[in-house]
Amino acid sequence: MNTETKEKDILRGGQFLVKETDCDDIFTLEDLDEEQKMMRESTIEFVDRELWAHWERFEKKDYAYTEACMKKAGELGLLSIAVPEAYGGMGMGFVSTMLVCDYISGATGSFSTAFGAHTGIGTLPITLYGTEEQKQKYVPKLASGEWFGAYCLTEPGAGSDANSGKTKAVLSEDGKYYSITGQKMWISNAGFCQLFIVFARIEDDKNITGFIVENDPKNGISLGDEEKKLGIHSSSTRQVFFNETKVPVENMLSERGNGFKIAMNALNVGRIKLAAACLEAQRRVTDEAVRYAAERVQFKTPIINFGAIKAKIATMATNAYVGEAACYRAAKNIEDRIALRVAAGNSHQEAELKGVEEYAIECSILKVAVSEDVQQTTDEGIQIFGGMGFSADTPMEKAWRDARISRIYEGTNEINRMLSVGMLIKKAMKGHVDMLGPATAVGEELMGIPSFDIPDFSGLLAEEKDMIARLKKVFLMVAGKAVQTYGPDLEKHQQLLMAAADILIQIYMAESAILRAEKNAKRSGPEAQATQIAMARLNLYEAVDIVIKQGKEAIVSFTSGDEQKMMLMGLKRFTKYTNQPNVAALREQIADKVAADGGYKFD
């Protein structure tokens, strides 16, 4: 198959909304090759030995232990997975980098924050935007763990509005260096890093500029005290002050004024990696909750036998399953897009930048969905443990605290919700995603006489796939009318954007789970995948409820009269089950399987 044909077969970012995806065209954890499985096992072995066995040290703000574990990870090559071989890395594909990020992040948020800050936003900007000289000089040290990196973007007055930073970079009279002055805050790894990626403004430029800055206290660099935080206690988080710090002109990253673009593209990668970093935490919390519930006896019965506990375990397992399905689906899309660009003659830098940027919508969706799922899972974990869950003597309460930051990292979930819809509409305006045709068809369908024929839902997950197609119509109906009503002013209507985003998120996550279950059922038979199918169905049922709620809220908030009545009727029509699932039975089935397996075993 030639490159052009392959490119047509790979959905572009956002096209999942308007095109049907075949289950054979998605990647799942069950598709890992032997090398990837070995990599996963070695990562889990490292985590169990160095991190999980010593989780209490991370709660006691043992920053030195976090640094020591990072060095050990470097010695094992775990910091170099995504780094090209030319710069001392393994040069693995995007799926493999996701895999390591996933399984290394489940024991403690302190280490996963240090790992993510170093391998992602601490190293990636140089590999993707650096000159050959910059990459040769710095990346091998970062890949091996000889040096650690940090990322200095946020300032006291510049959080979500990252481009409003006040840090200044002034060119010297001889033109040989920039003098950087300013204050950065919430800088992960600041206490033990040797290198900063710093963003500053030159003169009155519209956009900030990126710089590679070596951490030398003699060069006007000083640190604040370690921040006192709700969670991630052993993640070094400090303010960094630059006072006329001299940076050679050759250490400018990319071009002048390109810093905002660097920051945004680094965040795209960071968002999908953050989603992956929330998965193993869900698996481990589920395993611990199942173990405790099987041992804890009340009313002469292990509490795992109670329906209320089964409902929680089913939700926890389903969250993990759906998150896995969506994360690895998107990761493989990105990997395939990168491969296409390399085959077309792009450099590694260009290919990876454009490959990830193509799926920025999906990255934002995943960041929101999985970060909120891990919070729910850890909360349910505490509840299953009861009073012991609230105690610092068990790992549940620290898991809950560590999970909380994930809804703020890499752009708040509110920002990412609005970004996902905003980026989709921009893609539609550019013709990259044909929303106009499908939205027009939905409008015509609303005006027409509905069919009362009963569809043939005899095929595996046939009704579920039909429901996904109709949920897409809900989004097109709401978003299409919103664009028609507000045009370019839509971005000012944040509550409407948030409601539309929730619909979009539910569609992508639910479809991913259904496609994963269908693919695995085709490969090993429906009976062998009965619990996976049950999780996909349970998640869809809950997704439909969210779509109904958010769709109704959006419709009644910006329409009126006959138009409102017509859209509400459309919402009801598009979200109606022909055969309602037995939700309690699905939860029982899932929980019983997880209990029998002694934890989450679906990959």
Side-chain angles (χ1 to χ4, degrees), residues 480-519:
K481 180 58 184 172
V483 171
Q484 183 184 6
T485 302
Y486 298 116
D489 289 335
L490 179 58
E491 63 182 23
K492 298 176 183 177
H493 298 267
Q494 293 190 351
Q495 292 187 59
L496 177 54
L497 284 172
M498 297 275 280
D502 279 342
I503 297 170
L504 187 67
I505 289 165
Q506 293 305 317
I507 290 167
Y508 187 74
M509 302 302 290
E511 182 179 61
S512 298
I514 288 164
L515 291 172
R516 179 185 182 186
E518 183 187 14
K519 182 175 185 178

Side-chain angles (χ1 to χ4, degrees), residues 65-82:
Y65 189 64
T66 299
E67 183 180 1
C69 289
M70 283 289 287
K71 287 188 179 297
K72 289 178 182 177
E75 291 166 4
L76 292 171
L78 295 171
L79 305 181
S80 69
I81 305 297

